[in-house]
Every structure is written in C-alpha cells, then in structure tokens.
Amino acid sequence: MTQPDFHTRRSVAQVEEGTQLAPKFDRDGLLPCITTDAQSGELLMLGWMDADALRRTLCTGEAHYFSRARGCLWHKGASSGLVQQVVEARIDDDQDALWLRVRVAGSGASCHVGYRSCFYRAVPLRAEAGAPLVFTESRKTFEPQEVYGDAPTPTRL
Amino acid sequence: MTQPDFHTRRSVAQVEEGTQLAPKFDRDGLLPCITTDAQSGELLMLGWMDADALRRTLCTGEAHYFSRARGCLWHKGASSGLVQQVVEARIDDDQDALWLRVRVAGSGASCHVGYRSCFYRAVPLRAEAGAPLVFTESRKTFEPQEVYGDAPTPTRL
C-alpha cells in the first residue's frame, strides 16, 4: 500500500498555514475523526484513527478506524455492510483532528445501536438538574442483534 | 450554579438506550466536543470539555471548553467576542462525545487562525505520497494578531 507521507511537525506556521500533512496523534497514537454524511451534512459519529487507519482511509477512500474497544484496525462496514465511502477528508488547524464527509452504503446508518447517527439524544439546556435526554430519532434503521449477532458491544462503562 | 446531574454509568442499556446523562470522561477528565454551525451545518471545531466546562455549557447555553494548551476553563469568545450560543446539545451512543449546534457571534468564525472553520484544508484522497493539502477557505475572516495580540498560539508541536 502506498503510504501518504506524514511530515514531521517543525513549526506552528508549517502546521497551521502550510500544505504538508503532519498529523499529531495523542499519547495512545490516536487521532479523533469526525464523520458526517456528505449529502445531508448530518453528524454521524466520532471515531479514532491510528496512523495505519489514517493511511488506509486516505489510500482506499473507505473509512478505517482504530477500535479502542477491540484494540485493532476497524474497516467500518466490514461486518455490517455499512461501508463509508469518503467524499472529502479535511484536517484541522493544528492537525490533531480529522473530518470525513462520507457516503454510507446500505441503510445509511453509522451507529452500532441501530440509529442513523450516534448522536440520537439531545441534552436539555438550562434545565432542572437531572432532566432527561430527549431522543431525536424515533426508530432504529436496523436491529443490532440481526446484524452483529452476539458480538460484544463496543460501549465501555 | 445549578449543576446538571451526571449519573453514574451502571449498564450498557442505561448508557445507550436510556435518558440519563452519564458522560464518560477520558483519563485526563476530558470529553471531545464537536461544534457545528446551527444554521449551515458546517463543522466549525473539535474542542474538549472537562466536567466543569460541560456543566457551564449546559447551564448557561454558551459553549465552554477546557483549553488543553492553557490548562484551564475556556469561555469561547471571551477574548475574541466570537461567543458560541448553543442551539442544541447532543450526546453520542456511549456518551463519550458531545455535539453542539451553535450560533456564533460577530464574524461567525471559530478558528484561532482566522478562518471560519478549523477544518480549512482538504487532504487529497488516493493521491501520490506527499500530495499537498488544499485550502478550502480562500481568505481569513479576521487577522489573529489584531484579535489576540501577542497571546501565545494554542497549537502544540
């Protein structure tokens, strides 16, 4: 696989104003990745990438993440069929966060719980302490049990 | 200040399918926050919140972050005037990431480099190794020197 050159971070001007890709991974070797639907603009998920996942994403045009729950490379959609085709990738000012605009295959969902977006609950503002979250999607796009079977949930307490 | 009740995380069902706010902060006590423009849907920035910043954001309806560069609470817009009024807040499936939809005061910019969005450069896909980033905003909305003076940049190498 051809590897995109990740440049060494040498100066603030280079990182912020330059045209060299010089990503900053955190101390676990990970970079947060925001993924939105390229057509609707809807926020789908926040994932994490290590250098390998980032290289594979940029080389193949399909979103790859690092699964923190399973501790391994995660080709999104490999088990669910909900592959994310990358329409555009962007890096932020200090190059420690990525944004992918994607087209999702199949039902268009990106959330392992079965909703379209992982962000399916609103948090009340200026509310009483303990005010309940409000669901913003009324139904699931798939039943996780049918897609993932008995695979363990990635959610950690 | 009234503090929203953060519930204890007791089960996957409670966290994923319930209506209790039970955020998971990382080992530095931080939670990533994705901030988009409420009207255009454009991704503006990825920030970080500690429990205090999250409480203040939910209580006041103005975005507060934790500045990792300065190591302190950061009321966004306090020095630049570019306050972010929260229109909606959402939490993700496993409650370890937040999404804010905001209206930005003033010029509408959210990036300390002067651009509207922090994500002002596209990363080429399926390109030659080392292919240059492509600027997606043609001009800055403000000159950082005029707004921040000689304040140190938050970007870390």
Side-chain angles (χ1 to χ4, degrees):
Chain A
M1 182 172 60
T2 309
Q3 296 195 345
D5 257 0
F6 294 161
H7 290 268
T8 306
R9 296 166 67 90
R10 282 188 306 268
S11 74
V12 171
Q14 170 219 14
V15 167
E16 291 185 349
E17 310 264 12
T19 60
Q20 295 182 342
L21 181 59
K24 183 179 178 71
F25 297 92
D26 68 15
R27 67 177 186 268
D28 295 321
L30 300 177
L31 183 87
C33 172
I34 298 156
T35 304
T36 62
D37 185 289
Q39 190 154 27
S40 69
E42 184 183 13
L43 174 60
L44 297 174
M45 57 180 281
L46 178 75
W48 295 84
M49 290 184 180
D50 61 1
D52 183 37
L54 177 54
R55 288 193 180 102
R56 285 175 194 266
T57 300
L58 297 177
C59 287
T60 66
E62 291 188 358
H64 290 68
Y65 302 94
F66 180 84
S67 167
R68 296 181 303 172
R70 297 192 299 268
C72 62
L73 183 75
W74 167 32
H75 181 193
K76 176 77 179 165
S79 53
S80 67
L82 304 168
V83 168
Q84 297 177 339
Q85 201 74 38
V86 182
V87 173
E88 188 182 40
R90 294 206 201 172
I91 194 87
D92 78 339
D93 44 16
D94 56 355
Q95 302 204 26
D96 67 356
L98 194 75
W99 174 20
L100 295 184
R101 296 176 52 233
V102 304
R103 259 193 306 267
V104 185
S107 69
S110 284
C111 171
H112 76 277
V113 180
Y115 295 101
R116 205 173 59 248
S117 165
C118 294
F119 294 82
Y120 50 81
R121 287 171 297 183
V123 187
L125 296 168
R126 299 183 210 87
E128 295 292 305
L133 304 176
V134 178
F135 279 75
T136 57
E137 296 193 30
S138 54
R139 62 183 199 84
K140 297 187 180 186
T141 60
F142 66 89
E143 272 308 319
Q145 175 74 30
E146 293 169 14
V147 172
Y148 301 114
D150 292 327
T153 171
T155 291
R156 298 171 302 175
L157 292 180
Chain B
M1 182 173 58
T2 309
Q3 295 196 346
D5 257 1
F6 294 161
H7 291 267
T8 305
R9 297 165 67 90
R10 282 188 305 270
S11 74
V12 171
Q14 169 220 16
V15 167
E16 291 184 348
E17 310 264 11
T19 60
Q20 295 182 342
L21 181 59
K24 183 179 179 70
F25 297 91
D26 68 15
R27 67 177 186 270
D28 295 322
L30 301 177
L31 183 87
C33 172
I34 297 157
T35 304
T36 61
D37 184 290
Q39 189 154 28
S40 70
E42 183 183 14
L43 173 61
L44 296 174
M45 56 178 281
L46 177 75
W48 296 84
M49 289 184 181
D50 61 1
D52 182 38
L54 177 55
R55 287 193 180 102
R56 285 175 193 266
T57 299
L58 297 177
C59 287
T60 66
E62 292 187 356
H64 290 68
Y65 303 94
F66 180 84
S67 166
R68 297 183 301 172
R70 296 191 301 265
C72 63
L73 183 74
W74 167 33
H75 180 194
K76 176 75 181 169
S79 54
S80 67
L82 304 168
V83 169
Q84 297 177 338
Q85 202 74 37
V86 182
V87 172
E88 188 181 39
R90 294 206 200 173
I91 195 87
D92 78 339
D93 42 18
D94 56 355
Q95 302 204 28
D96 67 357
L98 194 76
W99 173 20
L100 295 184
R101 296 176 51 233
V102 303
R103 259 193 304 267
V104 185
S107 69
S110 283
C111 171
H112 77 276
V113 181
Y115 294 101
R116 204 173 61 247
S117 165
C118 293
F119 294 82
Y120 50 82
R121 286 171 297 181
V123 187
L125 296 167
R126 300 183 209 87
E128 295 292 307
L133 304 176
V134 178
F135 279 75
T136 57
E137 295 193 31
S138 53
R139 61 184 200 84
K140 297 188 180 185
T141 61
F142 66 89
E143 271 308 318
Q145 174 74 30
E146 292 169 14
V147 172
Y148 300 114
D150 292 327
T153 172
T155 292
R156 298 170 304 174
L157 292 182

